[in-house]
């Protein structure tokens, strides 16, 4: 793997008709943001060839609205990504190193945010970059990392619907 995209699902509705959190759909704004983020990533040449996606409705809908921008991508829906902690996401990243040139994880906070901050700290990212991500990981945002041959992640960028998507 040479690149990793850690992405949070786009803006979701506050509740689902069923009342269950896993069934919460995207809000209209989230639908717009998801499609725009797919285009924003693709325009920067950032296209996954493997996407690991949480089975929650909002993450699946985010992926469905993004995938046309990327072309052919292998997608795996993983229930273990639903509200997964940083350690679970990291183990999925490490387990996929040999499977993809560019891996996308599409999941939830706080796991996505915490793992992004861990990778930043491990790569001795600048204080400005750490401050930027310490402020939060808004819905629809994506942190992009280059991955070296030893599997170490180095920060390449952070795209939000406000800055680079919608």
């Amino acid at each position: 793997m040479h690149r990793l995209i850690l992405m949070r699902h786009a803006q979701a509705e506050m509740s689902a008709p069923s009342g269950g959190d896993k069934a919460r759909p995207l809000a209209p704004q989230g639908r717009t943001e998801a499609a725009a983020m797919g285009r924003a990533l693709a325009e920067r040449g950032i296209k996954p060839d493997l996407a690991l996606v949480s089975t929650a409705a909002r993450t699946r809908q985010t992926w469905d609205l993004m995938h046309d921008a990327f072309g052919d991508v292998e997608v795996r829906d993983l229930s273990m990504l639903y509200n997964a902690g940083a350690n679970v996401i990291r183990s999925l990243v490490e387990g996929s190193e040999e499977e993809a040139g560019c891996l996308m994880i599409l999941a939830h906070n706080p796991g996505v945010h915490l793992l992004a901050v861990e990778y930043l700290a491990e790569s001795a990212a600048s204080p400005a970059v750490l401050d930027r991500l310490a402020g939060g990981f808004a819905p629809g945002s994506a942190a992009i990392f280059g991955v070296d041959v030893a599997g170490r992640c180095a920060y390449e960028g952070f795209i939000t619907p406000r800055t680079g998507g919608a």
Side-chain angles (χ1 to χ4, degrees):
M1 172 174 51
H2 66 275
R3 182 171 279 150
L4 171 65
I5 306 162
L6 293 177
M7 185 167 176
R8 182 179 178 195
H9 61 80
Q11 185 67 47
E13 295 286 358
M14 295 302 289
S15 63
S18 70
D21 179 68
K22 198 169 183 180
R24 285 194 303 132
L26 289 180
Q29 175 183 342
R31 297 181 65 76
T32 300
E33 291 173 349
M37 283 296 289
R39 290 189 304 273
L41 289 165
E43 288 167 2
R44 289 169 172 80
I46 302 169
K47 299 179 183 182
D49 38 41
L50 174 60
L52 304 181
V53 181
S54 164
T55 54
R58 57 195 178 272
T59 49
R60 281 300 313 155
Q61 290 172 348
T62 299
W63 174 255
D64 289 345
L65 291 161
M66 293 177 65
H67 84 275
D68 284 343
F70 300 132
D72 191 29
V73 178
E74 181 182 350
V75 180
R76 294 186 196 148
D77 296 329
L78 300 176
S79 60
M80 68 189 316
L81 276 173
Y82 175 67
N83 287 334
N87 59 331
V88 171
I89 299 170
R90 182 186 287 261
S91 70
L92 287 168
V93 169
E94 291 170 355
S96 302
E97 287 176 347
E98 301 299 320
E99 294 185 70
C102 181
L103 173 67
M104 174 183 271
I105 303 286
L106 181 52
H108 310 268
N109 267 0
V112 169
H113 182 214
L114 293 174
L115 183 55
V117 171
E118 286 178 18
Y119 283 146
L120 291 173
E122 291 168 11
S123 67
S126 74
V129 170
L130 284 166
D131 284 348
R132 184 174 185 198
L133 258 71
F137 209 102
S141 297
I144 298 98
F145 296 91
V147 182
D148 69 15
V149 293
R152 292 180 298 245
C153 293
Y155 177 76
E156 288 187 357
F158 185 66
I159 304 169
T160 70
R162 212 178 292 164
T163 63

